Amino acid sequence: MAKGASKFDVAIVGGGPAGSAAAISCRQRGLSVVVFDEYPFETCPLAPGETLHPAMEGLFRILGVEKQITRAGFLRHAGHSIEMRGRHKFQPFGFDPSGPWKGYLVDRSKMHQILLEEAARCGACVLQGTRAIRPMRRNGRIAGVITTHGPYKSRFVLDASGHRSWLGRHLDLESIQVSPTLIARFGWIRNSASKRKEEPLPRFQMLDMGWEWTAPIGQDCHAWVYLGLFGDKNGKRVRHPPPKRGVPVGAGGSRDVTWKMIPRCAGPGYFLIGDAAWILDPACSHGALKAVLSAMIAAEAIAGDPHSRYAYCAWMRDWFCSDAKALIELYAQSALPLPW
């Protein structure tokens, strides 16, 4: 295909879980799709391990990747261990007549690869190593993407760029920030003691100045995330060393998880999906679910009634408010309630 010669129904910026799920969903509806994935698998930036809500099992089935996810051997868990103010409790997901509901403990890069490969298998044009430069506009709507490999016209552009919110920045869309700057730090530890017979269980511990989450994502590997909720006297974030229960693996990383949302997350010719639309800190535990489900809803809107973008904006806003309310209730139980 000549660079920029073809017009697509949908152009997707970002090939992570949101972008890949959007590509699969659009192809299932007969739409032509191009995906711009800036980072090939071998150069993809570090990402923390991921705990997935049990509802993801049904979404994987709809997307046609349930078998691949099962073959990947991701650990399953029926809930979380929560430690707060010296008290421990097990918080189950729930159950039905077939048994307890179980989530997934995944290596995000492996899940990313499974979804993106399925998007390509479905017929999406996946351009790895291609960076989106700026959106194209025509008659008051978004009409494509100019990339490092030339221009690509499209009827719709989906922004799946994550916390960078590529399209939101280019369109100068209003972003509402409802928390102070929050930086989550993450990494991995090796722990041979994790080779035990009991069910793998993520652990959430509320600390005086924040919280720590650890979860097994393999036979001898745990992912960890720490979020400091208070700054020091100079306003700097308190750094947090990796958990002492294992040997650090690699350098780890950090991510901005400040609570914010873009109310106009859909408009003429565009939809923002996943973290491009709104972000809460990882304690809400719905990041991957939001990414995939918002992608599927956006694809349905494009294939059906594009004017349903108004309903999409309202749905995303209500989800943000619901999860923010749950986080506020969680943090209100800590020993040092947040002043904000």
Side-chain angles (χ1 to χ4, degrees), residues 181-185 209-211 226-231 237-238 240:
T181 299
L182 299 173
I183 305 297
R185 306 187 185 282
M209 302 299 289
W211 56 257
Y226 170 77
L227 180 62
L229 298 171
F230 296 86
R237 294 286 126 188
V238 178
H240 185 72

Side-chain angles (χ1 to χ4, degrees), residues 113-193:
Q113 183 172 358
I114 289 170
L115 288 168
L116 195 57
E117 287 179 348
E118 179 63 17
R121 192 197 67 78
C122 287
C125 177
V126 178
L127 302 179
Q128 291 194 288
T130 300
R131 181 170 61 87
I133 298 175
R134 63 180 182 275
M136 299 167 62
R137 309 187 197 200
R138 184 178 181 183
N139 298 328
R141 62 180 287 123
I142 302 304
V145 179
I146 295 177
T147 76
T148 50
H149 288 80
Y152 289 81
K153 297 178 181 179
S154 63
R155 293 195 302 115
F156 286 89
V157 172
L158 299 188
D159 182 1
S161 63
H163 67 283
R164 295 178 299 161
S165 195
W166 174 84
L167 190 55
R169 289 187 292 106
H170 279 283
L171 298 183
D172 197 26
L173 298 177
E174 178 190 19
S175 177
I176 299 175
Q177 179 173 325
V178 296
S179 79
T181 299
L182 299 173
I183 305 297
R185 306 187 185 282
F186 62 87
W188 300 264
I189 54 175
R190 294 287 182 191
N191 185 351
S192 58

Side-chain angles (χ1 to χ4, degrees), residues 243-324:
K244 297 179 180 179
R245 294 180 294 280
V247 179
V249 178
S254 62
R255 182 159 296 172
D256 187 339
V257 294
T258 304
W259 298 11
K260 54 190 172 185
M261 69 172 297
I262 296 178
R264 195 154 59 93
C265 56
Y270 75 86
F271 285 82
L272 310 185
I273 58 180
D275 284 352
W278 59 262
I279 296 175
L280 289 172
D281 72 64
C284 77
S285 73
H286 287 160
L289 182 65
K290 173 188 64 180
V292 172
L293 192 53
S294 63
M296 297 170 71
I297 296 296
E300 179 63 26
I302 292 172
D305 178 13
H307 295 293
S308 60
R309 64 178 182 267
Y310 304 108
Y312 177 85
C313 290
W315 174 68
M316 290 291 274
R317 178 200 63 216
D318 290 348
W319 192 352
F320 173 88
C321 292
S322 176
D323 275 7

